[in-house]
Amino acid sequence: MMDLAGVRELYELQAACHIAARKRLGRSLTLAEKIFFAHLSDPHQSPVRGKDYVNLRLDRVAMQDATAQMALLQFALTGREQVEVPSTVHCDHLIQARSGCDSDLAAANNVNAEVYAFLKSASAKYGIGFWKPGAGIIHQVVLENYAFPGGFMIGTDSHTPNAGGLGMVAIGVGGADAMEVMAGLPFNIRWPRLIGVHLTGALSGWASPKDVILKVCETLTVRGGTGCILEYFGPGTTSISCTGKGTICNMGAEVGATTSLFPFDDRMADYLRATDRGDLAELAQQHTSTLVADPQVGAAPQEFFDQLIEIDLSALEPMVVGPHSPDRARSMSGLGAEAQREGWPLELNAALIGSCTNSSYEDMERAASIAQQAISLGLRATVPFYITPGSDTIDCTIRRDGQMEALEAIGGTVLANACGPCIGQWRRDDISDGEANSIISSYNRNFSGRNDGNHATLSFLTSPEVVTALALVGRLDFDPLRDSLSNEAGDEFRLAPPTGDDLPTAGFETSLAGYVAPPPDGSAAELAVDPASERLQLLEPFVPLVESDLEALPVLLKIEGKCTTDHISPAGPWLRYRGHLDKISGNAYIGASNTFTNERGTAISALTGEQASLPEVAREYRNANQGWIVIADVNYGEGSSREHAAMSPRFLGCCAIIARSFARIAETNLKKQGVLPLVFEESMDWKLIHADDRLTITGLTKLGPGSRLTVGVTHSDGTTDEFVCHHSLSEQQVEWIRAGSALNYLRQQV
Ligand code: MIC
Ligand code: SF4
């Protein structure tokens, strides 16, 4: 499936681009710079980090089912017949975890038949590779089949950077970005700033790649990586397996990083060979010098990076983060005391391993090594223990090699090769809504309500081996490094640190069973969309909102604190409507806390004065043709790439979001859909806005890069205030806003 000749061509071209870029900049290049320069549409540019927008030509696009629907519905409006960049669709998010893989998969095929049929028909029509439900989670399948060192891809999922573990620049985007790139347009992004993460020493004992990224989360916090690439370097990098690097890059999304990246090394070559890509491994090895940073970077990193982080791998201990935020970190040894202090339930209700972050062969080996110890000591999991293999390939391989047997022997339930509980696709019958309970997983995200829709669930994240150890004891305050456990006979013992190979000695059981290649000519394929469907709806182009000044707009809600995409457009049961804009807009902001009502999910209508659910009030405004605004705090839209978090507000009439700051993907998604993302020039001005205020935004006729907008506030008692906002719109993005969306703009161009 790899186009080896294409990769060879890229490698040859890369070397020449690097020579030219070094000359222009008068210095050596980091790895991220090398890959960016080699993909620039205009190879003569010298962009300024954190400032200039650039156009790039990409090697690949990947989409998962929950976001592919909107991406492909938008693509259908471009009038293009075929995608111009190799692309794939992966059915992974819509499978509900309930009783086990076979029955869950059968149920998903039944419940989602219509959506799968649409994705399959669109894939055939437009020339896209289609991975059926059960084939695996997008990032795992991409790593196994498509990612390659030095390449550049985007994916409609925030954890796309997983492919950085194989030395590829892989960026998570909204569906509109994917639509444009598939339509043959360049990918537009701000030239990122660079954070260098210097790794020394080597992991040992209980410490794992997960702890590296949890350390980074603790250091940078959930917004410390915004607009930046995390480039790992130093002698420690080679001590981490390729898939371990994938784990670290995957979760870089949690600090808001644009992507994360490791230099090419033998561990990556080994992984390529184990996944039947020996020829690619060889090719990459012939071009190693273009696939790693120039040597000067390691020698004087402070001259190349905007920020540096030092991590001594030898000193790392297992860490755990949570609840509710992936940067609430501490080492495992500190969790028990903190949980006691905070009054968090110490008993665990579930332990879950796998997901796109942590379901490599090595992860499963190490988890199984703990399970093996348990078996020999006569122990089993004392709480429900779930295993999500990341792909059919992993699933078949660990069944062959015995890890699965060990995990099942201690009571594990194997779920489908899909996202499942990680994205709220978890039919839990053991607790009722609002009941406080603690769960621990090896996933990457733990926002409130994410796993089971229950905001009282406290979700903690750590490595799969630590999750497995905790499953045996069923308590949050068990530290496997220091505490002993006992069996029925009362014998006390301590678990030995996990062990395991990173790659199967007998090779992977490569499974392409779930892959459907597009037909050579798909023009005859019909898009399968039933007009009466409640799951799919063809899109209508949006009407432009921002033509002149925006006058006297009500504020739908004002958010204090966290507002992730899981608050704006929750997943779980709502995943069902990801292809139906009207229906999914019924979830707009239901997870967000509104300071005007002091509760989650409600607002007071400026038209009737009545309190109702946020989507109801928004729809009332829409029906009255009344535009509205949202006031938000820092890092608005943190988390997922789901563009529904921009499209639903847009569909319901949102003209602008004024925030203290934005997460990168969310900000771009708003621009793409024609909503103004504005930032308070003075952060404290956030305080000026009260319920019943009306806001007037002036300066829109002069909207341009770097322009300022003035917002006039009229309070209900007639008094007024004023504040200033800035934005990060480029010239081209202003055109999107004026056209009503990036898609409208593209349609105007043909
Ligand atoms: C997630 O992890 O939040 C998701 C579900 O994979 C999302 C995509 C989505 O909402 O469909 C992401 O990370 O982008
Ligand atoms: Fe799926 Fe979870 Fe990975 Fe998102 S983070 S792709 S929901 S497994």
Side-chain angles (χ1 to χ4, degrees):
M1 275 188 295
M2 275 302 308
D3 170 17
L4 198 67
V7 179
R8 179 172 296 117
E9 207 178 297
L10 173 72
Y11 286 174
E12 278 157 16
L13 175 116
Q14 266 184 346
C17 286
H18 298 160
I19 294 173
R22 277 189 210 101
K23 217 163 159 191
R24 280 203 307 284
L25 301 184
R27 62 166 173 81
S28 305
L29 302 174
T30 79
L31 175 58
E33 288 177 321
K34 286 187 175 182
I35 302 179
F36 267 69
F37 275 115
H39 287 83
L40 270 180
S41 296
D42 168 6
H44 306 296
Q45 279 174 290
S46 310
V48 178
R49 287 184 194 172
K51 182 164 174 279
D52 293 337
Y53 284 88
V54 293
N55 285 332
L56 298 147
R57 294 279 160 198
L58 307 194
D59 302 308
R60 175 160 290 282
V61 175
M63 294 163 280
Q64 44 89 340
D65 50 3
T67 48
Q69 298 171 62
M70 274 302 166
L72 292 170
L73 287 166
Q74 292 178 83
F75 186 80
L77 283 180
T78 63
R80 306 293 202 273
E81 282 176 3
Q82 285 269 307
V83 294
E84 299 214 7
V85 171
S87 305
T88 47
V89 164
H90 304 261
C91 298
D92 52 3
H93 280 63
L94 300 179
I95 303 168
Q96 193 180 55
R98 190 170 187 200
S99 44
C101 52
D102 294 341
S103 51
D104 292 350
L105 193 56
N109 272 316
N110 184 21
V111 173
N112 304 316
E114 179 183 4
V115 173
Y116 295 148
F118 164 70
L119 293 173
K120 198 168 168 193
S121 69
S123 299
K125 187 172 178 63
Y126 300 131
I128 299 170
F130 178 75
W131 289 83
K132 291 194 254 180
I137 307 176
I138 175 169
H139 312 303
Q140 186 68 32
V141 175
V142 165
L143 197 72
E144 285 164 0
N145 296 279
Y146 300 115
F148 67 92
F152 200 136
M153 68 175 288
I154 53 171
T156 58
D157 191 281
S158 63
H159 294 106
T160 304
N162 193 64
L166 206 36
M168 185 172 204
V169 167
I171 299 183
V173 297
D177 276 292
M179 170 273 289
E180 289 179 340
V181 171
M182 291 191 294
L185 268 63
F187 174 56
N188 183 265
I189 193 168
R190 197 170 239 182
W191 195 258
R193 284 177 294 119
L194 298 180
I195 299 179
V197 188
H198 187 225
L199 301 183
T200 52
L203 293 170
S204 65
W206 283 89
S208 75
K210 186 66 163 261
D211 303 308
V212 178
I213 187 61
L214 297 187
K215 189 82 203 160
V216 171
C217 288
E218 180 180 46
T219 311
L220 284 176
T221 79
V222 288
R223 56 201 166 104
T226 311
C228 299
I229 292 185
L230 303 187
E231 182 169 328
Y232 291 82
F233 70 105
T237 56
T238 52
S239 75
I240 301 172
S241 66
C242 173
T243 50
K245 292 176 171 101
T247 297
I248 296 172
C249 292
N250 175 302
M251 241 190 120
E254 269 46 68
V255 297
T258 302
T259 194
S260 300
L261 192 60
F262 273 87
F264 178 67
D265 64 6
D266 289 347
R267 308 297 293 265
M268 294 187 193
D270 292 345
Y271 181 76
L272 286 172
R273 289 197 182 93
T275 49
D276 296 333
R277 290 174 289 173
D279 41 5
L280 180 58
E282 208 153 298
L283 184 65
Q285 281 179 320
Q286 286 160 12
H287 291 86
T288 300
S289 63
T290 62
L291 303 172
V292 299
D294 287 340
Q296 292 76 359
V297 175
Q302 64 288 353
E303 289 172 21
F304 295 89
F305 295 109
D306 301 288
Q307 186 181 344
L308 275 174
I309 297 176
E310 284 285 340
I311 298 181
D312 175 5
L313 300 175
S314 309
L316 272 188
E317 271 206 19
M319 296 189 68
V320 59
V321 299
H324 300 327
S325 194
D327 55 359
R328 189 158 187 190
R330 80 290 282 162
S331 77
M332 201 57 219
S333 57
L335 179 62
E338 190 179 338
Q340 293 248 353
R341 244 189 351 262
E342 297 282 342
W344 297 330
L346 293 173
E347 256 97 62
L348 283 168
N349 279 54
L352 311 98
I353 62 169
S355 93
C356 68
T357 329
N358 268 123
S359 59
S360 65
Y361 189 80
E362 183 178 39
D363 289 330
M364 294 300 165
E365 271 270 271
R366 288 169 64 89
S369 80
I370 301 298
Q372 287 294 1
Q373 294 182 50
I375 295 167
S376 60
L377 300 168
L379 292 170
R380 285 172 65 84
T382 57
V383 294
F385 176 48
Y386 296 102
I387 301 127
T388 321
S391 71
D392 201 25
T393 295
I394 287 286
D395 189 324
C396 295
T397 311
I398 63 174
R399 277 181 205 278
R400 182 198 66 195
D401 291 354
Q403 296 88 349
M404 192 77 105
E405 202 183 325
L407 295 168
E408 285 185 308
I410 61 162
T413 304
V414 182
L415 301 174
N417 312 318
C419 302
C422 181
I423 188 56
Q425 289 281 51
W426 184 14
R427 239 326 262 280
R428 256 184 109 171
D429 300 320
D430 62 321
I431 51 148
S432 46
D433 196 28
E435 201 178 316
N437 72 106
S438 299
I439 62 170
I440 193 150
S441 78
S442 71
Y443 302 168
N444 48 21
R445 216 160 251 176
N446 56 358
F447 302 140
S448 170
R450 176 173 171 97
N451 302 104
D452 53 8
N454 179 5
H455 289 278
T457 294
L458 306 179
S459 163
F460 296 87
L461 311 174
T462 184
S463 68
E465 42 272 46
V466 171
V467 174
T468 309
L470 264 57
L472 301 174
V473 184
R475 290 183 65 88
L476 207 51
D477 54 357
F478 176 71
D479 174 6
L481 265 78
R482 295 172 182 83
D483 298 341
S484 312
L485 68 182
S486 52
N487 60 9
E488 263 185 21
D491 310 322
E492 291 238 336
F493 30 75
R494 206 174 275 177
L495 291 168
T499 52
D501 293 334
D502 57 333
L503 294 169
T505 18
F508 281 105
E509 283 286 300
T510 304
S511 167
L512 296 179
Y515 178 66
V516 185
D521 177 9
S523 52
E526 289 284 327
L527 282 193
V529 180
D530 175 354
S533 171
E534 58 149 32
R535 304 277 312 257
L536 296 160
Q537 181 188 42
L538 293 174
L539 291 172
E540 293 284 337
F542 288 132
V543 176
L545 287 173
V546 181
E547 279 163 322
S548 54
D549 292 343
L550 293 167
E551 301 215 16
L553 301 185
V555 178
L556 178 69
L557 79 155
K558 178 174 172 181
I559 300 148
E560 180 162 22
K562 231 185 199 357
C563 185
T564 73
T565 48
D566 279 295
H567 295 89
I568 307 167
S569 178
W574 291 95
L575 282 170
R576 130 176 222 95
Y577 299 125
R578 284 287 186 93
H580 198 296
L581 185 54
D582 199 341
K583 289 251 183 258
I584 197 155
S585 299
N587 77 355
Y589 294 109
I590 57 172
S593 295
N594 186 357
T595 56
F596 295 158
T597 59
N598 251 328
E599 62 180 16
R600 204 187 288 281
T602 58
I604 300 159
S605 164
L607 303 179
T608 62
E610 304 276 323
Q611 178 161 329
S613 81
L614 271 155
E616 277 168 331
V617 177
R619 207 171 272 272
E620 194 183 304
Y621 291 165
R622 171 187 153 93
N623 293 341
N625 217 358
Q626 170 64 64
W628 46 273
I629 287 182
V630 174
I631 300 297
D633 210 324
V634 292
N635 211 22
Y636 175 84
E638 165 187 352
S640 154
S641 67
R642 61 189 76 145
E643 66 193 326
H644 306 78
M647 285 180 103
S648 289
R650 170 66 164 105
F651 174 75
L652 295 171
C654 177
C655 300
I657 312 275
I658 309 180
R660 281 176 155 154
S661 67
F662 287 92
R664 176 187 60 88
I665 309 180
E667 185 178 32
T668 310
N669 285 347
L670 289 167
K671 294 173 181 175
K672 292 259 178 208
Q673 302 302 338
V675 179
L676 281 170
L678 304 181
V679 180
F680 290 99
E681 186 104 331
E682 289 299 330
S683 179
M684 291 316 273
D685 288 341
W686 178 90
K687 296 206 160 151
L688 294 176
I689 298 136
H690 305 289
D692 299 336
D693 286 352
R694 293 284 184 147
L695 268 50
T696 294
I697 306 181
T698 50
L700 288 169
T701 45
K702 296 207 186 82
L703 188 64
S707 71
R708 296 289 187 271
L709 296 169
T710 304
V711 183
V713 186
T714 308
H715 303 295
S716 51
D717 62 3
T719 58
T720 58
D721 272 304
E722 202 175 81
F723 62 92
V724 176
C725 289
H726 60 260
H727 60 80
S728 63
L729 292 159
S730 67
E731 203 96 50
Q732 187 189 35
Q733 294 169 344
V734 171
E735 297 300 331
W736 303 342
I737 301 280
R738 296 219 187 282
S741 69
L743 176 59
N744 287 358
Y745 180 69
L746 186 155
R747 280 156 61 89
Q748 288 167 4
Q749 307 305 303
V750 280

